Amino acid sequence: MTSSITKLFQIKYPIVQGGMIWASGWRLASAVSNAGGLGLIGAGSMYPEVLQEHLTKIKKATSKPYGVNVPLLYPDIDQIIDIIIKEQVPIVFTSAGNPKTYTGRLKEAGIKVVHVVSSVKFALKSQQAGVDAVVAEGFEAGGHNGREESTTLTLIPQVARAIDIPLIAAGGIATGRAMFAVMALGAQGVQVGSRFVCTPEASSHLNFKNAIVAAGEGDTHLTLKELAPVRMMRNNFWHQLQELYKTGPSTDDLKKLLGRARAKKGMFEGDMDEGELEIGQVSGLINDIIPAAQVVEQMVTEYEAARKEMTQRTLNV
């Protein structure tokens, strides 16, 4: 499964594990990297000293390439970047901010840089900023999304047509067949988030994992567009939001209900009623909790089966 992404990152399979908050620590990232994909530590839910600890541990857990996902809107971002450079992290995925801010400095340190986008406009801006690749993420994805609400099926071919650097597809990808589909649309690799939450290695709470397994079609919803669009599971907190929306709330009203550490309460501490449960639409396809290496293996097997099936269909036409 050689592609520009496997060559860029020096990995076996073009599968990147999303750097999700409260789920993607050193255990998950090292397990994915050891299985032939690219594991990412999610720095978005980590204080600088916590990230330092995870980097120390992942170096002992894998000799394979790994990376760190860094949302650029976090207050400790300068310290996070300093630690990443000091620890010689080989690959950094940035998101939620201007890619120009840190790309030059990271690349000067010999780090490969990828930026996450939700539109052609920002894919082009990322390319101009000098990133090595982009992740184009459709709004099916869990967590924070772009305001365009472009689906993966429409976003990937548009971005592929517009840029000259490698493209990684994200949003609604949990199977090898979905991987085959987006690569047929022009992606050279995939980023997978929700499927890796339901692994023993993910640091998210078991209550959250079980809720994902039990989820069905329509159990997630994109909301809080006035603050930052986020896809989450329907629960008591989500229903409180819907009741508040009926009153025509201000952004301050929404912030007050959201409060602090709402995502940590749900995804990490396991409060299924009052927590913010960020997960993608593809949760309806996730029916079990399996090791990260098995997720990678299943995706590769399904991809090859889909490729052979399509080849055979073509020959039979």
Side-chain angles (χ1 to χ4, degrees):
M1 296 182 70
T2 302
S3 75
S4 58
I5 292 300
T6 60
K7 293 176 182 177
L8 177 64
F9 299 144
Q10 294 297 297
I11 55 179
K12 187 175 182 180
Y13 305 120
I15 298 172
V16 177
Q17 162 249 311
M20 303 158 288
I21 63 170
W22 305 117
S24 307
W26 69 270
R27 287 186 179 85
L28 177 58
S30 61
V32 174
S33 290
N34 286 333
L38 179 69
L40 298 181
I41 292 173
S45 52
M46 297 180 180
Y47 291 114
E49 61 271 20
V50 176
L51 174 61
Q52 178 69 69
E53 178 185 348
H54 280 256
L55 290 174
T56 299
K57 290 181 176 179
I58 198 171
K59 290 178 180 179
K60 296 177 181 178
T62 186
S63 60
K64 303 292 179 66
Y66 67 92
V68 175
N69 181 74
V70 183
L72 298 176
L73 50 73
Y74 283 85
D76 295 321
I77 182 64
D78 288 322
Q79 288 179 264
I80 294 291
I81 296 296
D82 287 343
I83 290 171
I84 284 170
I85 292 174
K86 175 176 68 74
E87 293 297 324
Q88 298 179 311
V89 173
I91 303 160
V92 168
F93 280 51
T94 56
S95 61
N98 187 345
K100 287 185 178 181
T101 309
Y102 294 101
T103 294
R105 184 180 171 201
L106 290 168
K107 288 179 69 69
E108 284 175 6
I111 298 171
K112 294 182 176 68
V113 181
V114 183
H115 194 66
V116 182
V117 303
S118 58
S119 68
V120 172
K121 175 183 176 181
F122 286 106
L124 288 169
K125 285 190 174 183
S126 299
Q127 179 172 268
Q128 292 164 5
V131 301
D132 295 286
V134 296
V135 175
E137 183 176 78
F139 98 124
E140 300 97 321
H144 291 285
N145 277 274
R147 298 184 182 280
E148 297 82 4
E149 297 191 15
S150 297
T151 64
T152 302
L153 194 66
T154 58
L155 178 62
I156 296 306
Q158 291 183 78
V159 174
R161 183 174 60 187
I163 64 173
D164 301 315
I165 56 178
L167 169 61
I168 301 167
I173 301 167
T175 66
R177 288 184 175 274
M179 179 178 172
F180 179 81
V182 293
M183 292 182 77
L185 291 173
Q188 289 86 46
V190 295
Q191 178 172 283
V192 179
S194 298
R195 173 66 271 196
F196 282 116
V197 175
C198 282
T199 62
E201 297 93 342
S203 54
S204 42
H205 198 281
L206 182 59
N207 289 351
F208 183 40
K209 297 176 186 180
N210 286 334
I212 296 167
V213 170
E217 180 183 10
D219 283 344
T220 70
H221 185 76
L222 194 70
T223 189
L224 288 174
K225 298 177 185 179
E226 297 82 357
L227 303 180
V230 59
R231 181 172 297 283
M232 64 178 74
M233 293 180 105
R234 298 169 187 260
N235 65 351
N236 185 54
F237 167 59
W238 181 84
H239 285 292
Q240 291 177 50
L241 270 176
Q242 306 321 300
E243 289 301 313
L244 181 58
Y245 272 119
K246 294 177 182 178
T247 69
S250 66
T251 55
D252 286 340
D253 294 329
L254 292 169
K255 288 178 181 178
K256 183 177 179 181
L257 178 60
L258 180 62
R260 291 180 55 83
R262 181 78 72 167
K264 179 182 180 183
K265 178 182 289 189
M267 296 184 285
F268 191 68
E269 297 176 352
D271 188 335
M272 295 296 98
D273 291 323
E274 298 301 326
E276 181 179 321
L277 308 176
E278 300 178 8
I279 203 70
Q281 284 184 330
V282 80
S283 55
L285 286 175
I286 300 171
N287 302 312
D288 49 17
I289 300 170
I290 58 175
Q294 190 175 338
V295 172
V296 173
E297 181 184 2
Q298 284 185 356
M299 289 192 67
V300 172
T301 299
E302 290 173 4
Y303 173 90
E304 292 297 340
R307 184 180 62 81
K308 290 177 182 178
E309 181 181 317
M310 291 304 296
T311 300
Q312 190 60 45
R313 286 183 186 180
T314 303
L315 293 173
N316 290 337
V317 171

